[in-house]
Amino acid sequence: MGRTPFIAGNWKMFKTIPEAVSFVRALKSSLTGLSGVEVAVCPPFTALAPVAEILRGSGIAVGAQDVFWEERGAYTGEVSPLMLKDAGCSCVIIGHSERRQFFGESDEKVNRKVKAALACGLTPIMCVGETLVQRENGITEKVVGEQTEAGLSGLSPEQAAGVVIAYEPVWAIGTGKTASDEDAQQVIAFIRRLVNDLYGFGTAERIRIQYGGSVKPGNAAGLLARPDIDGALVGGASLEIESFVGIIRAAAPGI
Ligand code: PGA
């Protein structure tokens, strides 16, 4: 299979520039000799450029937490894919459930953002996931399937293979409740089967699908050992060096 595990830290609206800078200096020295795993940090917009400057050449990637789909123009408050590249980003989180919940992010907007990111050479980390009510009503696969299909709509098989999907059950985000290894594996295997149906075997074999939602050093190894779980999108535990590095070590024990 040969999919490299990918651990990304979603800092959300935390850390000032000085805090971000000192964090990534420490992270860089904890992760010398990084191999067998890809790592990214996703700070707030304000800290992207200084963080990228420090991490240049370290093998640790930098991502943003959102992006707009136009390259430039009269769109007050928005940031374009080109600007993210300019700031040193190589990836971007798109369609996080907090954006879907608080900022009106629809599947259609997610799709436009995914396309714009790919067109600019940024790797989209496209988030999908069901709420607790949806899980209890037995419609997890329907919800996640629709989000996945709509988010990837119009991509070529080659482009789709370059997207990273983050399966994040909304009820597991920031709550301390993790999906069981088996539940996460089941939904992620379902997503991979769907990608297979939509884009073919080659794309399904290559596309990386992360799990996200209360990932910690203590539960990371079990999740990552599952055959279809290719990494983690980590919120709270990515804000402290010890816990973030602990999760990265679970993905690549040699570090
Ligand atoms: P959490 O957040 O790890 O704090 O649950 C995950 C996320 O929102 O990406």
Side-chain angles (χ1 to χ4, degrees):
M1 293 241 238
R3 294 186 299 267
T4 306
F6 181 24
I7 309 293
N10 172 14
W11 292 4
K12 309 194 179 186
M13 201 171 70
F14 293 100
K15 296 193 191 294
T16 61
I17 294 172
E19 286 165 352
V21 161
S22 73
F23 181 93
V24 293
R25 283 210 174 102
L27 183 68
K28 192 168 138 178
S29 58
S30 305
L31 294 180
T32 47
L34 189 66
S35 76
V37 57
E38 261 175 62
V39 175
V41 291
C42 303
F45 286 126
T46 45
L48 288 174
V51 159
E53 181 67 32
I54 291 163
L55 293 180
R56 192 184 306 152
S58 68
I60 303 169
V62 180
Q65 300 170 20
D66 186 27
V67 65
F68 190 53
W69 52 76
E70 296 290 345
E71 264 189 20
R72 58 179 65 75
Y75 301 104
T76 302
E78 294 297 321
V79 177
S80 79
L82 213 61
M83 291 164 181
L84 295 184
K85 289 278 280 194
D86 187 39
C89 292
S90 59
C91 55
V92 56
I93 299 170
I94 295 174
H96 189 278
S97 63
E98 287 150 17
R99 297 215 58 84
R100 293 179 189 259
Q101 188 182 344
F102 303 127
F103 304 101
E105 195 105 329
S106 62
D107 287 338
E108 199 236 322
K109 288 183 187 169
V110 169
N111 180 240
R112 292 180 82 163
K113 292 179 177 190
V114 166
K115 286 179 177 155
L118 287 169
C120 203
L122 290 166
T123 299
I125 302 175
M126 184 183 88
C127 303
V128 299
E130 82 288 1
T131 63
L132 186 58
V133 173
Q134 290 166 335
R135 173 160 285 257
E136 285 170 350
N137 287 334
I139 56 169
T140 297
E141 290 192 354
K142 179 177 183 292
V143 170
V144 168
E146 282 170 5
Q147 289 173 341
T148 303
E149 185 164 356
L152 299 179
S153 164
L155 302 188
S156 68
E158 187 60 29
Q159 286 177 316
V163 174
V164 173
I165 298 177
Y167 167 57
E168 299 205 305
V170 178
W171 49 271
I173 294 177
T175 57
K177 286 189 200 140
T178 325
S180 70
D181 302 351
E182 188 47 34
D183 283 344
Q185 161 62 25
Q186 265 181 26
V187 179
I188 289 177
F190 162 78
I191 296 171
R192 199 178 303 284
R193 284 198 302 278
L194 178 63
V195 171
N196 183 65
D197 294 345
L198 295 170
Y199 295 96
F201 183 71
T203 303
E205 279 293 282
R206 279 166 60 206
I207 196 166
R208 287 184 296 178
I209 311 178
Q210 300 171 318
Y211 168 79
S214 297
V215 178
K216 305 274 181 284
N219 60 25
L223 287 158
L224 295 169
R226 293 301 176 130
D228 285 291
I229 305 182
D230 303 320
L233 182 56
V234 185
S238 75
L239 295 170
E240 303 293 335
I241 294 287
E242 207 175 313
S243 48
F244 193 46
V245 170
I247 293 167
I248 295 164
R249 291 216 169 98
I255 296 170

